[in-house]
Amino acid sequence: MAVARKKLLQSRQVGSLLLFLCLSVGGAATIRYSVAEEMESGSFVANVAKDLGLEVGKLAARGARLVSEGNKLHFRLHRKTGDLFVKEKLDRESLCGKVDPCVLHFEIVLVEPLQSFRAEVRVFDINDNAPVFLNKEPLLKIPESTPMGSRFPLQSAQDLDVGLNSLQNYSLSANPYFHLHTRFRSHGPKYAELVLDKPLDREEQPEINLTITAVDGGSPPKSGIAHIRVEVLDVNDHVPQFSRLVYRAQVRENSANGSLVATVTATDLDEGSNKEITYSLAQNPEIILQTFQIDSETGEVRLRGPLDFEAIETYDIDIQATDGGGLSAHSKVLVEVVDVNDHPPEITVSSVSSPLPEDSPVQTVVALFSIRDRDIRVGEKITCFLKEDLPFAVKPTFRNSYSLVTDRGLDREEVSGYNITLVAMDTGPPTLSSETVIEVLISDINDNPPVFQEDSYILTVRENNSPAVFIGKVHAEDQDLGENAQVTYSLLPPKSGDLSVFAYISINSDNGKLYALRTMDYEAIQDFQFVVKATDGGFLSLSSQVTVRVVVLDDNDNRPMILYPLQNGTLPCNDLVPKSAEVGYLVTKVVAVDGDSGQNSWLSYHLLKATDPGLFSVQQQNGEIRTLRHISERDPMMQKLIILVQDHGQPALSTTASLNILLVDGFSEPYLQFQDSFKHPTRVNPSTKYLVISLAVLSFLFLLSVTLIFIIHICQKIKYREKFTVQEHLYDDCNFPNNLVQGGPSGSIPQPCPYEMCSATGTGNSEFRFLKRFMPNFPFPHSTGEVKTEAGSSLPPDSDRNRSWGSEGHAQVSDDYM
């Protein structure tokens, strides 16, 4: 029943003090609340959202949370409703001790956007502790000769409560000898003194028992008692006398144990054992007994435990001097603790924004933090700065609160993250500082285009390549990260609008590898160029371009082609040589061309077979056929030569030319007789009429051959263009690489190479000259074996030989080339 009544009284008391809100706007804009101690966990304190002027649900949307300045958070926030609750039962005495008011500080941090509010909750005391005497049965020895009015200090009762709930008064049980007088200390609880009202008589009453009661001011009040036993001593005329009633001392809080605080001195006028004085710390609270000690003989007061100015600033020590007869006197030592700078500033980081985009503007808030220095009177001016030169700065927000902001632009490609060292330093002396590291990562944005490794690329591919052959690659790098650094490659259409390059080249969009889509023909195209574009994968993609030039390398895939003498299976090609020719006489010149280039087009001429190998020679470099000796009458009139024309490719290709040479005395009668011998072996017609007719026919056939060759070249050029156009259309309709246009010897695209021809006449002779090449190549068929190539005829120029084509000479040309 008593327990129930007590709980009911407690609940009423708590209800009278609990849950009143105090919102005040000061210089620091701190939100203040008040609660009573001993509130149960989950008790309602206030609605934070309402006090901050936020709608219900905004706290959750902005990621609100509580940050305590200490190591423990005593409240919790319901972010959906904005209600603030007690996290666990609050005990004011364990939180603040004797400090009044008891205030708990914390911050309300809103993350998105970053914002913080300072808040404090004052914990009000309830009367949950009764006064307690440490010594339940103190003993007082009082001589019987003690005069009336003498005072005897008693032990102070200890009450952990503060304010009205703390110790308020003492009462003494009824007795005829003493009454109580309550006194106040400048620092510490009240204490009582026994005042002697009636002289003591040991023979009448050697011992007096008293009961002292300490009462607090709670409602209902609580009390504690102690039983005082007074022993009446025999007569001791003099009590010890201190040199001072109050001793004062100052001690630095960092003084070592055993340091001297003060020395007290007392004297006694008695003699003998009654004069011997011992010193002691009597009737002092437990904290004093733990902190100080006194030498019983010398009266030196020394430190026993550490001092902490931030906990207790002054101590009121009661010193007792007792003589040998049991008489005692009391004095006080007031100890003032001198504050020293022994606590470095404490940095508390409440919120950090990481990662931070590299395009964040200047003055972007990166982190919020506060600094506290436990020293009060020294080193209180605090400076905060960054240990290194970084693109950040410290910006004060309000008292002891700061924000870390960006000071310069950020670039993730230069620095991907920062370990920011914050330094807080007080003014000392000595100067103390503390550091804390905030890690901030920098997130990437797409601010770097891909960069090619080279300004331009030159790639080579050998003609007659296989379709889809790899010819090289381009590579671009992007300094960004992730998708921003993923590079894709593509071919750009030429500015001229000619899309034929796409028929030759393909690019792998992932790795930049280039492939030849079709077989290349050096004789058709020697080089071409195009533009490759590299694009990154960013949201706003960036790109760069590079020019690629592809050079086609020549293969020896064209055999030499004989231009003169004309090779025709139906009509023989004859040259006339007078029997009177000198040694070295220029008979004729074999003229050949090669559609390849470079070393593959260098030609050499060799006499492969002859009727008389010792009569004629062939110049290896220019194909000139000259006589090696004088012609004799025994030499056959008909000489047949087979000339081998070979290029210098690897492997070398060659072709042969056949030539008939007639040895004649002149260019009239002997020659006609020789010709008639082929038509009528039994009959020889010496008439010059037939010779004139033959020459006319020969001239007509020659002109006809030249005309046919020119027409054939024109037709082949038109056919080549049509075929190239058809192949490109076929390529556009096919799927790479299964339906590529086939190349090689059978698929090469020939290119016409006509030559200019003219006739030059000299004294008594005439011959054809090949002046210059005015087209890239001359078309001719490819063959896997040795094929005798036939072409239109033209005599080469030669200044060493003067030969006349008159009415008595003739030449045969073929009109069935190709």
Side-chain angles (χ1 to χ4, degrees):
M1 196 70 175
V3 175
R5 172 183 262 175
K6 184 176 181 180
K7 288 186 177 179
L8 180 59
L9 291 174
Q10 275 187 337
S11 64
R12 287 178 179 176
Q13 185 180 15
V14 171
S16 65
L17 297 175
L18 187 62
L19 297 177
F20 67 93
L21 176 65
C22 177
L23 177 61
S24 62
V25 180
T30 301
I31 304 174
R32 295 183 173 87
Y33 303 102
S34 298
V35 297
E37 69 169 332
E38 301 299 328
M39 289 183 65
E40 294 294 331
S41 175
S43 298
F44 174 81
V45 178
N47 187 280
V48 174
K50 182 178 178 181
D51 298 333
L52 295 179
L54 299 176
E55 297 178 2
V56 176
K58 285 292 186 179
L59 292 179
R62 295 184 63 180
R65 59 190 179 92
L66 302 182
V67 178
S68 175
E69 288 187 357
N71 296 327
K72 191 173 184 179
L73 188 63
H74 301 283
F75 303 92
R76 62 183 178 85
L77 177 65
H78 193 288
R79 293 193 291 183
K80 292 185 178 180
T81 63
D83 293 334
L84 185 68
F85 298 95
V86 176
K87 188 176 182 181
E88 59 184 14
K89 182 183 289 187
L90 301 176
D91 185 3
R92 193 206 65 78
E93 286 73 23
S94 62
L95 292 175
C96 300
K98 299 295 287 184
V99 177
D100 188 31
C102 179
V103 180
L104 302 179
H105 300 274
F106 63 93
E107 290 186 26
I108 304 170
V109 177
L110 305 181
V111 178
E112 295 178 356
L114 197 59
Q115 191 176 8
S116 69
F117 301 88
R118 294 180 66 87
E120 62 183 35
V121 177
R122 180 176 179 180
V123 181
F124 282 93
D125 183 58
I126 65 173
N127 192 24
D128 58 343
N129 293 282
V132 176
F133 289 94
L134 298 180
N135 188 356
K136 300 289 185 181
E137 296 181 357
L139 174 63
L140 293 179
K141 294 181 179 182
I142 302 176
E144 61 180 348
S145 61
T146 303
M148 290 187 298
S150 298
R151 297 173 181 268
F152 304 94
L154 299 178
Q155 172 191 4
S156 298
Q158 304 295 315
D159 194 339
L160 298 179
D161 295 324
V162 295
L164 292 175
N165 295 326
S166 64
L167 176 65
Q168 298 296 320
N169 202 1
Y170 295 92
S171 63
L172 187 65
S173 60
N175 69 93
Y177 296 98
F178 300 93
H179 76 271
L180 281 179
H181 178 71
T182 303
R183 301 192 65 177
F184 296 86
R185 287 189 175 97
S186 58
H187 298 281
K190 298 177 181 180
Y191 69 98
E193 292 179 338
L194 282 177
V195 181
L196 185 62
D197 294 333
K198 179 182 177 181
L200 298 175
D201 188 357
R202 180 178 175 279
E203 287 72 27
E204 181 180 347
Q205 189 174 354
E207 183 175 300
I208 302 172
N209 293 313
L210 304 173
T211 300
I212 185 173
T213 303
V215 182
D216 63 20
S219 178
K222 293 186 177 183
S223 62
I225 61 173
H227 299 283
I228 303 174
R229 188 164 62 93
V230 179
E231 182 180 351
V232 181
L233 301 178
D234 201 4
V235 175
N236 186 9
D237 296 334
H238 298 89
V239 296
Q241 296 293 323
F242 282 95
S243 61
R244 296 180 186 177
L245 292 178
V246 178
Y247 295 86
R248 298 182 183 275
Q250 290 184 338
V251 183
R252 294 171 63 87
E253 66 172 323
N254 61 347
S255 299
N257 291 345
S259 299
L260 179 64
V261 178
T263 301
V264 297
T265 304
T267 58
D268 197 314
L269 298 178
D270 294 323
E271 296 293 337
S273 61
N274 292 329
K275 188 177 182 179
E276 296 177 357
I277 298 175
T278 58
Y279 301 94
S280 63
L281 301 179
Q283 312 301 328
N284 286 286
E286 184 68 21
I287 187 64
I288 293 179
L289 299 177
Q290 294 176 355
T291 308
F292 301 94
Q293 61 184 359
I294 189 170
D295 190 305
S296 60
E297 294 182 358
T298 62
E300 293 180 347
V301 180
R302 296 182 179 274
L303 285 179
R304 184 178 184 180
L307 300 176
D308 189 356
F309 175 84
E310 288 71 34
I312 301 177
E313 297 182 15
T314 60
Y315 292 89
D316 190 346
I317 307 174
D318 187 11
I319 306 297
Q320 178 176 293
T322 306
D323 61 17
L327 296 178
S328 62
H330 295 267
S331 181
K332 293 188 179 297
V333 177
L334 296 179
V335 179
E336 180 182 352
V337 181
V338 179
D339 187 22
V340 298
N341 193 34
D342 58 345
H343 294 91
E346 299 174 358
I347 302 176
T348 303
V349 179
S350 57
S351 184
V352 178
S353 294
S354 179
L356 190 67
E358 62 176 323
D359 61 344
S360 299
V362 177
Q363 298 299 314
T364 298
V365 178
V366 180
L368 297 176
F369 62 95
S370 60
I371 301 176
R372 184 182 69 161
D373 195 334
R374 296 177 60 188
D375 297 315
I376 299 176
R377 297 181 182 176
V378 294
E380 60 181 358
K381 186 176 181 180
I382 301 173
T383 57
C384 183
F385 56 91
L386 300 182
K387 190 174 183 179
E388 300 174 350
D389 183 18
L390 299 175
F392 300 93
V394 176
K395 181 179 181 182
T397 54
F398 43 86
R399 186 176 182 272
N400 294 334
S401 295
Y402 302 85
S403 61
L404 180 68
V405 299
T406 57
D407 188 45
R408 300 191 298 272
L410 304 176
D411 189 353
R412 188 209 62 80
E413 287 70 37
E414 292 184 2
V415 182
S416 60
Y418 296 90
N419 288 326
I420 306 171
T421 303
L422 297 175
V423 180
M425 180 180 296
D426 58 25
T427 55
T431 301
L432 299 179
S433 63
S434 61
E435 298 180 358
T436 189
V437 178
I438 299 177
E439 182 180 3
V440 177
L441 301 178
I442 308 301
S443 60
D444 182 53
I445 64 169
N446 191 28
D447 57 347
N448 290 281
V451 177
F452 284 95
Q453 291 181 337
E454 299 182 17
D455 296 334
S456 62
Y457 291 83
I458 298 179
L459 306 178
T460 60
V461 58
R462 190 166 292 278
E463 69 168 330
N464 301 321
N465 59 283
S466 300
V469 66
F470 171 73
I471 63 174
K473 67 178 294 185
V474 296
H475 181 68
E477 293 184 351
D478 197 310
Q479 295 183 5
D480 295 320
L481 287 179
E483 292 183 356
N484 296 332
Q486 293 180 358
V487 180
T488 57
Y489 303 88
S490 61
L491 298 179
L492 290 182
K495 295 182 180 179
S496 61
D498 184 12
L499 302 180
S500 61
V501 68
F502 295 111
Y504 288 90
I505 292 296
S506 174
I507 190 170
N508 188 315
S509 61
D510 295 328
N511 53 31
K513 291 185 176 181
L514 293 165
Y515 300 88
L517 293 180
R518 62 191 303 172
T519 300
M520 301 294 177
D521 186 1
Y522 176 85
E523 287 71 37
I525 182 171
Q526 284 77 44
D527 63 357
F528 59 91
Q529 68 180 23
F530 51 90
V531 177
V532 175
K533 178 181 180 182
T535 306
D536 60 27
F539 175 70
L540 297 175
S541 61
L542 302 176
S543 63
S544 59
Q545 301 177 8
V546 70
T547 301
V548 180
R549 179 170 175 254
V550 178
V551 177
V552 181
L553 301 179
D554 182 46
D555 266 350
N556 191 27
D557 57 349
N558 292 285
R559 293 180 179 277
M561 183 175 65
I562 307 299
L563 298 180
Y564 183 85
L566 291 176
Q567 302 297 300
N568 192 305
T570 58
L571 295 176
C573 183
N574 299 325
D575 277 291
L576 305 179
V577 177
K579 292 184 178 181
S580 61
E582 299 292 332
V583 176
Y585 175 82
L586 177 61
V587 177
T588 187
K589 182 176 182 179
V590 178
V591 179
V593 294
D594 195 306
D596 296 318
S597 65
Q599 182 176 329
N600 297 329
S601 63
W602 298 351
L603 301 180
S604 61
Y605 303 85
H606 308 274
L607 182 59
L608 184 62
K609 189 176 181 182
T611 303
D612 187 351
L615 183 57
F616 300 100
S617 67
V618 178
Q619 293 293 324
Q620 186 175 354
Q621 288 77 18
N622 53 25
E624 293 179 348
I625 300 177
R626 296 178 179 270
T627 57
L628 289 175
R629 57 178 177 82
H630 292 285
I631 299 173
S632 65
E633 294 297 333
R634 293 177 295 177
D635 292 327
M637 182 180 297
M638 182 68 173
Q639 297 284 334
K640 185 175 183 180
L641 304 179
I642 297 178
I643 309 301
L644 176 67
V645 183
Q646 185 177 28
D647 59 26
H648 286 72
Q650 294 294 331
L653 300 179
S654 62
T655 187
T656 58
S658 296
L659 177 64
N660 293 327
I661 299 176
L662 298 179
L663 304 179
V664 297
D665 292 330
F667 294 130
S668 56
E669 182 178 355
Y671 175 72
L672 294 177
Q673 291 176 353
F674 179 77
Q675 288 293 86
D676 281 342
S677 66
F678 286 97
K679 296 179 181 179
H680 306 284
T682 58
R683 191 178 159 189
V684 177
N685 187 0
S687 176
T688 59
K689 178 178 67 174
Y690 295 103
L691 180 57
V692 173
I693 295 174
S694 298
L695 290 175
V697 171
L698 183 61
S699 298
F700 172 79
L701 290 176
F702 173 77
L703 294 175
L704 180 62
S705 299
V706 172
T707 303
L708 288 176
I709 289 174
F710 180 80
I711 293 173
I712 290 173
H713 290 333
I714 296 300
C715 293
Q716 283 189 340
K717 185 174 182 180
I718 295 174
K719 183 179 180 181
Y720 160 74
R721 290 181 177 176
E722 292 176 351
K723 181 179 179 181
F724 185 74
T725 304
V726 172
Q727 286 179 345
E728 287 187 338
H729 288 305
L730 290 175
Y731 167 74
D732 292 337
D733 295 334
C734 68
N735 294 323
F736 177 77
N738 296 327
N739 298 321
L740 295 173
V741 179
Q742 298 297 324
S746 61
S748 299
I749 302 175
Q751 183 174 349
C753 183
Y755 282 75
E756 291 182 350
M757 294 180 291
C758 65
S759 175
T761 59
T763 305
N765 64 0
S766 67
E767 57 191 34
F768 290 98
R769 294 180 182 269
F770 287 84
L771 297 179
K772 65 178 180 178
R773 176 178 177 179
F774 62 94
M775 290 294 286
N777 287 299
F778 194 86
F780 54 93
H782 299 277
S783 177
T784 57
E786 182 177 346
V787 177
K788 184 181 297 184
T789 304
E790 297 175 357
S793 63
S794 172
L795 290 179
D798 195 324
S799 60
D800 296 335
R801 176 178 177 232
N802 293 323
R803 180 175 178 186
S804 173
W805 286 69
S807 58
E808 296 182 359
H810 73 276
Q812 295 179 345
V813 294
S814 173
D815 60 352
D816 60 352
Y817 174 68
M818 292 197 219

